[in-house]
Amino acid sequence: MANVLVNAPKTARRGQAVEIKALILHPMETGFRPGADGRILPRNIIELFTATWNGVEVFRIELSPAIAVNPFVSFFAVATESGTIGLRWSGDEGFLVEEQVAIAVE
Amino acid sequence: MSTRRTFLKLTAAAGLAPAVASAQGAAAGKVVVIGGGYGGAMAARMLKALEAKLDVTLVEPNPVYTSCPFSNSVLANLREIGQQEFRYDGIRRAGVSVAQTSATAIDATARTVTLADGNRLSYDRLVLSPGIDFNWGAVQGYDEAAAQKMPHAWKAGAQTVLLRQQLQAMADGGLVVMSVSANPYRCPPGPYERASLIAYWLKIWKPKSKLLLLDAKDAFSKQRLFQNAWAQLYPGLIEWVPLSKGGKVTSVDPATLTLVTEFGSHKAAVANVIPPQRAGAIAAQAGVADRTGWCPVEPVAFESTLRPGIHVLGDAAIMGAIPKSAFAANAQAKVCAAAIVDLLAGRKPQDPILINTCYSLVAADYGISVAGVYRPDKGQLAEVPGAGGTSPLDVVGGFRGQEAVYAESWFRTVTAETFG
């Protein structure tokens, strides 16, 4: 259901800072807005985004209701070893999406 | 149907406003208008029409004005660029002095305008209608030199002709890539009309070609009407990539005609980059542009909220809900002229009602439109709920063809009124 775009380099030199970009489709409903029937729409946001490099957490953000629809995240991580970058979004209503990309470090 | 009736009633009211002001006019003074487009040229002419005693000078460096509205039809070979060109003879005949030079500096305190030819004009009221400038470099690699390889064609003229030549020279099967800025920018539905008309032309002359529309937005003006028409007329030809699908272009390489988004890159045979924009440069020099690059104004006489005595019209201004269109600039010009006549005569200008209509052509004989009605509310121009609207989604018979005819009638009317 969730739609994710990820842009990370396929290769990197050891010690190089590489940029990783990720976009996820999500309504980020604030919990403060009335719906068509006048009742407040329940909050439905992503609360946490984390990135791991071969299982080691390298990046984390906590998202708030003020963050807009379809959050886009861009961050840098230092290339340590070949393996897998894991991206994880979790939030309200049991929302959980995981995505993995491979990277070769020379 | 009641919406249509409300709309017509308000149209009639807006049409009457300048006539009322004219009957009471007893103002004299000097008004300088900078910028001879749909806003400025109309304002200069309307000021003189409402109050013959006014000393009105229009400052415009170009002897010929090239209209952006209908310039997408030039790309599709439906019009020639000469049909987009208008001169200022009619405005001179109306009693306006035309200074064919550019304004280099504005002193809002001394109320003077310095011109590139060395002259200095003093004013009681200044009208700025400078249109747009581009934020060169906002898309990395896109500067004035890059625009010679990847035209913006968002100021009509040589750029329009260049893009048309590139399309005509392209091999059948070549990929046309368009990049569209985030809001706000000149002519909200313009990029989608352009995509439609390029597709119209490709379908006839380069049927193996495709058009990729990279967009920094997730929604756009008349979206359902455009998308329905694309599915019907150009199936599989136009691919729209919105922001949430990675459509935002972050950099370009003019040497290889490559457009790079956050998530990929696309090599074009012909590339059209519509870059982020701001008010024309003189607005910032005058101190009427804020940090957004656009000019905040009050909603009755469109006087700058930053510098008194300077009125800002058209694409350069932030006008609340009213879009950046030639129709809107023209309507604002009439309201502003009437308000300036009032202000110079010591009267309080009346609250205006403004109308905007934007026609877009999806094919030569297929037109769609959006209309809105606006009036001052809490210091902004706000849309009047229930007035205006868009063309219906489902129509029968020759409805779309009729709207294409209306579009052309509007163009003839507004250009005759402004420049004729």
Side-chain angles (χ1 to χ4, degrees), chain A residues 3 5-7 21-23 25 69-70 72, chain B residues 218 243-247 250 261-264:
Chain A
N3 213 329
L5 291 171
V6 178
N7 184 2
K21 299 183 211 179
L23 184 156
L25 297 191
V69 66
N70 304 333
F72 169 74
Chain B
D218 276 324
L243 174 70
S244 58
K245 300 281 182 187
T250 53
T261 66
E262 302 282 8
F263 298 98

Short mmCIF file of all heavy atoms in Angstrom, two decimals, chain A residues 3 5-7 21-23 25 69-70 72, chain B residues 218 243-247 250 261-264:
data_model
loop_
_atom_site.label_atom_id
_atom_site.label_comp_id
_atom_site.label_asym_id
_atom_site.label_seq_id
_atom_site.Cartn_x
_atom_site.Cartn_y
_atom_site.Cartn_z
N ASN A 3 3.81 3.71 -0.62
CA ASN A 3 4.61 3.92 -1.79
C ASN A 3 5.87 4.67 -1.39
O ASN A 3 5.80 5.74 -0.81
CB ASN A 3 3.80 4.73 -2.80
CG ASN A 3 4.15 4.33 -4.21
OD1 ASN A 3 5.28 3.93 -4.48
ND2 ASN A 3 3.19 4.46 -5.11
N LEU A 5 9.89 6.03 -2.37
CA LEU A 5 10.97 6.29 -3.33
C LEU A 5 12.26 6.42 -2.53
O LEU A 5 12.30 7.13 -1.53
CB LEU A 5 10.72 7.59 -4.09
CG LEU A 5 9.57 7.64 -5.08
CD1 LEU A 5 9.37 9.07 -5.55
CD2 LEU A 5 9.84 6.72 -6.25
N VAL A 6 13.30 5.71 -2.97
CA VAL A 6 14.59 5.80 -2.28
C VAL A 6 15.67 6.09 -3.32
O VAL A 6 15.67 5.52 -4.41
CB VAL A 6 14.92 4.49 -1.54
CG1 VAL A 6 16.30 4.59 -0.87
CG2 VAL A 6 13.86 4.16 -0.52
N ASN A 7 16.57 6.99 -2.96
CA ASN A 7 17.71 7.28 -3.83
C ASN A 7 18.98 7.22 -2.98
O ASN A 7 19.22 8.08 -2.14
CB ASN A 7 17.56 8.66 -4.47
CG ASN A 7 18.67 8.97 -5.46
OD1 ASN A 7 19.54 8.14 -5.71
ND2 ASN A 7 18.62 10.17 -6.02
N LYS A 21 18.27 9.65 0.12
CA LYS A 21 17.01 10.40 0.07
C LYS A 21 15.86 9.40 0.06
O LYS A 21 15.95 8.35 -0.60
CB LYS A 21 16.94 11.23 -1.21
CG LYS A 21 18.04 12.27 -1.32
CD LYS A 21 17.81 13.09 -2.58
CE LYS A 21 19.10 13.57 -3.16
NZ LYS A 21 18.91 14.33 -4.38
N ALA A 22 14.81 9.74 0.76
CA ALA A 22 13.66 8.84 0.81
C ALA A 22 12.37 9.66 0.90
O ALA A 22 12.30 10.65 1.64
CB ALA A 22 13.77 7.92 2.01
N LEU A 23 11.38 9.23 0.15
CA LEU A 23 10.07 9.88 0.17
C LEU A 23 9.02 8.80 0.35
O LEU A 23 9.09 7.75 -0.29
CB LEU A 23 9.85 10.64 -1.15
CG LEU A 23 8.58 11.47 -1.31
CD1 LEU A 23 8.82 12.55 -2.36
CD2 LEU A 23 7.36 10.67 -1.70
N LEU A 25 4.73 8.06 0.68
CA LEU A 25 3.37 8.61 0.57
C LEU A 25 2.64 8.35 1.88
O LEU A 25 2.51 7.20 2.30
CB LEU A 25 2.61 7.95 -0.58
CG LEU A 25 3.17 8.17 -1.99
CD1 LEU A 25 2.16 7.68 -3.04
CD2 LEU A 25 3.51 9.63 -2.24
N VAL A 69 2.31 16.40 4.40
CA VAL A 69 1.97 15.17 3.70
C VAL A 69 3.18 14.65 2.90
O VAL A 69 4.02 15.44 2.48
CB VAL A 69 0.75 15.46 2.79
CG1 VAL A 69 1.08 16.44 1.68
CG2 VAL A 69 0.14 14.21 2.21
N ASN A 70 3.29 13.36 2.74
CA ASN A 70 4.36 12.72 1.95
C ASN A 70 5.76 13.16 2.38
O ASN A 70 6.49 13.79 1.61
CB ASN A 70 4.17 12.99 0.45
CG ASN A 70 2.81 12.56 -0.05
OD1 ASN A 70 2.19 11.66 0.51
ND2 ASN A 70 2.34 13.21 -1.09
N PHE A 72 9.51 13.87 3.00
CA PHE A 72 10.74 13.64 2.23
C PHE A 72 11.91 13.84 3.17
O PHE A 72 12.00 14.85 3.86
CB PHE A 72 10.79 14.64 1.07
CG PHE A 72 12.11 14.68 0.36
CD1 PHE A 72 12.49 13.65 -0.48
CD2 PHE A 72 12.98 15.75 0.54
CE1 PHE A 72 13.72 13.69 -1.14
CE2 PHE A 72 14.21 15.79 -0.12
CZ PHE A 72 14.57 14.76 -0.96
N ASP B 218 1.91 18.45 -6.40
CA ASP B 218 1.06 17.26 -6.46
C ASP B 218 -0.32 17.54 -7.04
O ASP B 218 -1.12 16.62 -7.23
CB ASP B 218 0.91 16.65 -5.06
CG ASP B 218 2.08 15.74 -4.72
OD1 ASP B 218 2.59 15.05 -5.63
OD2 ASP B 218 2.50 15.72 -3.55
N LEU B 243 5.20 15.72 -7.57
CA LEU B 243 6.19 15.80 -6.48
C LEU B 243 6.31 14.49 -5.72
O LEU B 243 7.41 13.99 -5.46
CB LEU B 243 5.78 16.93 -5.53
CG LEU B 243 6.59 17.09 -4.25
CD1 LEU B 243 7.98 17.61 -4.56
CD2 LEU B 243 5.89 18.04 -3.28
N SER B 244 5.16 13.90 -5.36
CA SER B 244 5.18 12.71 -4.51
C SER B 244 5.66 11.47 -5.26
O SER B 244 5.86 10.41 -4.65
CB SER B 244 3.80 12.46 -3.91
OG SER B 244 2.85 12.33 -4.94
N LYS B 245 5.84 11.58 -6.58
CA LYS B 245 6.42 10.47 -7.35
C LYS B 245 7.84 10.84 -7.78
O LYS B 245 8.38 10.23 -8.71
CB LYS B 245 5.56 10.17 -8.58
CG LYS B 245 4.14 9.76 -8.27
CD LYS B 245 4.05 8.32 -7.82
CE LYS B 245 2.60 7.93 -7.57
NZ LYS B 245 2.51 6.58 -6.99
N GLY B 246 8.39 11.86 -7.15
CA GLY B 246 9.77 12.24 -7.45
C GLY B 246 9.89 13.20 -8.63
O GLY B 246 10.90 13.20 -9.33
N GLY B 247 8.88 14.04 -8.84
CA GLY B 247 8.86 14.92 -10.02
C GLY B 247 9.64 16.21 -9.90
O GLY B 247 9.80 16.91 -10.89
N THR B 250 15.82 19.11 -9.48
CA THR B 250 16.73 19.84 -8.59
C THR B 250 17.93 20.40 -9.34
O THR B 250 18.52 21.38 -8.92
CB THR B 250 17.24 18.92 -7.47
OG1 THR B 250 17.79 17.75 -8.07
CG2 THR B 250 16.11 18.54 -6.53
N THR B 261 16.16 14.75 -10.93
CA THR B 261 15.19 14.91 -9.83
C THR B 261 15.82 14.32 -8.56
O THR B 261 16.94 13.81 -8.60
CB THR B 261 13.88 14.17 -10.13
OG1 THR B 261 14.15 12.77 -10.16
CG2 THR B 261 13.30 14.60 -11.47
N GLU B 262 15.08 14.36 -7.46
CA GLU B 262 15.59 13.78 -6.22
C GLU B 262 15.85 12.27 -6.39
O GLU B 262 16.66 11.70 -5.67
CB GLU B 262 14.58 13.96 -5.07
CG GLU B 262 14.21 15.40 -4.77
CD GLU B 262 15.26 16.16 -3.97
OE1 GLU B 262 16.37 15.63 -3.77
OE2 GLU B 262 14.96 17.29 -3.56
N PHE B 263 15.14 11.64 -7.33
CA PHE B 263 15.19 10.17 -7.38
C PHE B 263 15.60 9.61 -8.73
O PHE B 263 15.55 8.40 -8.93
CB PHE B 263 13.83 9.60 -6.96
CG PHE B 263 13.49 9.95 -5.54
CD1 PHE B 263 12.65 11.01 -5.26
CD2 PHE B 263 14.05 9.24 -4.49
CE1 PHE B 263 12.35 11.35 -3.95
CE2 PHE B 263 13.76 9.58 -3.18
CZ PHE B 263 12.91 10.64 -2.91
N GLY B 264 16.00 10.46 -9.66
CA GLY B 264 16.40 9.92 -10.95
C GLY B 264 16.86 11.01 -11.89
O GLY B 264 16.92 12.18 -11.51
#
